[in-house]
Amino acid sequence: MPAAFRLTLSEAALKELVSSPKTAELSAKAAEEIAALARAEAPKNRRGSWNMYTRSISVTAYEEDGVVHAAVQADRHPLLIEYGWKDKRGRRHAGRHILKGALLKVRK
């Protein structure tokens, strides 16, 4: 659905908006929501071992030039889980697109 209006900000106003504490809070909240959805969709095992993919999903927030950024990242084998792989016999194991799915769910 197209936007009903168009907002145009000057560079100074945009800088002030993205560097405000409220924007940082909203960015962190959105990243936590994405991480929670990704953890819910991530593959699990019954034993709950220390190297589960679910436990490797984390939220990183950092500030650069006054602008707060938030990122959701998976530390253990993210490309294999997201996009799939081929084993030694050449069989294809499909990817699960967990992080992409979480982003699409939050976007709706």
Side-chain angles (χ1 to χ4, degrees), residues 17 19 22 25 28 34 40 52-55 57 64 74-75 77-79 85 95 99-100 105:
L17 178 69
S19 63
K22 186 66 175 173
E25 181 182 319
I34 293 167
M52 283 177 36
Y53 184 73
T54 304
R55 292 187 182 158
I57 296 173
E64 183 179 309
D75 300 325
H77 314 295
L79 291 175
W85 71 93
L99 295 174
K100 181 181 176 183
K105 283 182 183 179

Side-chain angles (χ1 to χ4, degrees), residues 12-77:
L14 181 63
K15 180 93 172 162
E16 184 178 328
L17 178 69
V18 297
S19 63
S20 73
K22 186 66 175 173
T23 303
E25 181 182 319
L26 290 173
S27 177
K29 183 180 176 186
E32 282 295 336
E33 186 178 340
I34 293 167
L37 284 171
R39 286 185 192 109
E41 297 292 323
K44 299 166 185 66
N45 63 12
R46 283 176 243 152
R47 291 180 291 161
S49 68
W50 63 271
N51 65 349
M52 283 177 36
Y53 184 73
T54 304
R55 292 187 182 158
S56 76
I57 296 173
S58 62
V59 177
T60 304
Y62 60 95
E63 185 176 340
E64 183 179 309
D65 296 331
V67 178
V68 176
H69 304 275
V72 178
Q73 64 187 25
D75 300 325
R76 291 195 52 83
H77 314 295

Side-chain angles (χ1 to χ4, degrees), residues 1-12:
M1 182 173 164
F5 68 94
R6 182 178 179 157
L7 177 65
T8 306
L9 296 173
S10 68
E11 191 171 323

Side-chain angles (χ1 to χ4, degrees), residues 82-103:
E82 285 294 309
Y83 300 111
W85 71 93
K86 284 187 180 178
D87 60 14
K88 289 182 180 179
R89 290 186 172 178
R91 289 179 295 196
R92 175 92 177 116
H93 298 271
R96 296 193 181 194
H97 302 286
I98 296 162
L99 295 174
K100 181 181 176 183
L103 283 170

